[in-house]
Amino acid sequence: DARIDPVTGETIFVIDFVGEAETTGIETELVAEPAEGFRISLSATFQQPEYKKFAQGANNLSGNQVRRIAEEIVDLTLGYYWERASVSANWNYYGDRFANNANTIVLPSFDVTNLTASYELSANARLSLALLNAFDDVGLTEGNPRLDEAGRAAGAVYLARPVLPRRATLAIDFSF
């Protein structure tokens, strides 16, 4: 909807959203150390993020899934820690999501695995090496919520933020 700002005379584009959202579900977190130095951390969320009494302009979107929120999110980390060193593997999974309120643009599920190793050089310094997105997985983390959702091409072509490709980082952290 285009409106004129009465003070500046500029054209302002406004999309009116009226309503609310509700999420029901379960989230669990588990941390275990089955052997000395070996730690398992798991968090999992299973939910139904849903618009309630939600309108976007003349469109009633009640019952649609809230945009960019997955129904399933899992984070699993396996780590081994000893004296001054550690190694870990972290796996993240995000279920299908929608880029828009109308639920016409699907952001497919994806997962990413990260591997890290670190060594404490001194009481104030730590050396870390990380292999991020170790298996070079592909995914879209979010879609562009500012697109014209009612346009003819909605869902055919859209902008989205991709998961970054495999990369390695080397860092030295100093604490003062």
Side-chain angles (χ1 to χ4, degrees), residues 4-170:
I4 304 296
D5 183 318
V7 177
T8 65
E10 293 180 25
T11 301
I12 302 170
F13 293 93
V14 177
I15 297 176
D16 292 323
F17 297 99
V18 179
E20 56 190 61
E22 178 179 286
T23 300
T24 56
I26 185 168
E27 183 170 271
T28 185
E29 190 170 335
L30 165 75
V31 177
E33 193 166 318
E36 185 175 343
F38 179 60
R39 184 175 305 142
I40 301 169
S41 301
L42 171 69
S43 66
T45 302
F46 302 97
Q47 61 189 346
Q48 287 190 298
E50 184 178 325
Y51 290 121
K52 301 285 185 184
K53 302 178 193 169
F54 190 86
Q56 181 177 328
N59 299 320
N60 181 1
L61 303 177
S62 300
N64 283 8
Q65 184 174 325
V66 176
R67 74 175 175 205
R68 297 191 295 169
I69 299 179
E71 291 183 337
E72 308 88 20
I73 303 168
V74 179
D75 184 295
L76 173 65
T77 301
L78 306 176
Y80 189 73
Y81 308 87
W82 65 99
E83 295 183 23
R84 299 170 68 162
S86 67
V87 293
S88 65
N90 172 257
W91 176 74
N92 291 286
Y93 171 81
Y94 300 91
D96 290 347
R97 293 141 297 127
F98 293 97
N100 61 351
N101 295 328
N103 289 180
T104 59
I105 303 172
V106 177
L107 297 171
S109 63
F110 70 93
D111 64 307
V112 174
T113 302
N114 302 307
L115 307 173
T116 60
S118 67
Y119 183 77
E120 186 179 301
L121 299 170
S122 70
N124 298 352
R126 176 172 289 277
L127 177 67
S128 301
L129 175 65
L131 181 60
L132 305 171
N133 193 3
F135 302 116
D136 210 20
D137 293 304
V138 175
L140 299 173
T141 62
E142 64 182 59
N144 184 349
R146 290 163 291 284
L147 286 177
D148 177 10
E149 298 178 0
R152 288 187 319 201
V157 175
Y158 60 97
L159 301 175
R161 183 174 295 148
V163 170
L164 293 176
R166 179 186 310 123
R167 63 213 178 276
T169 62
L170 178 64

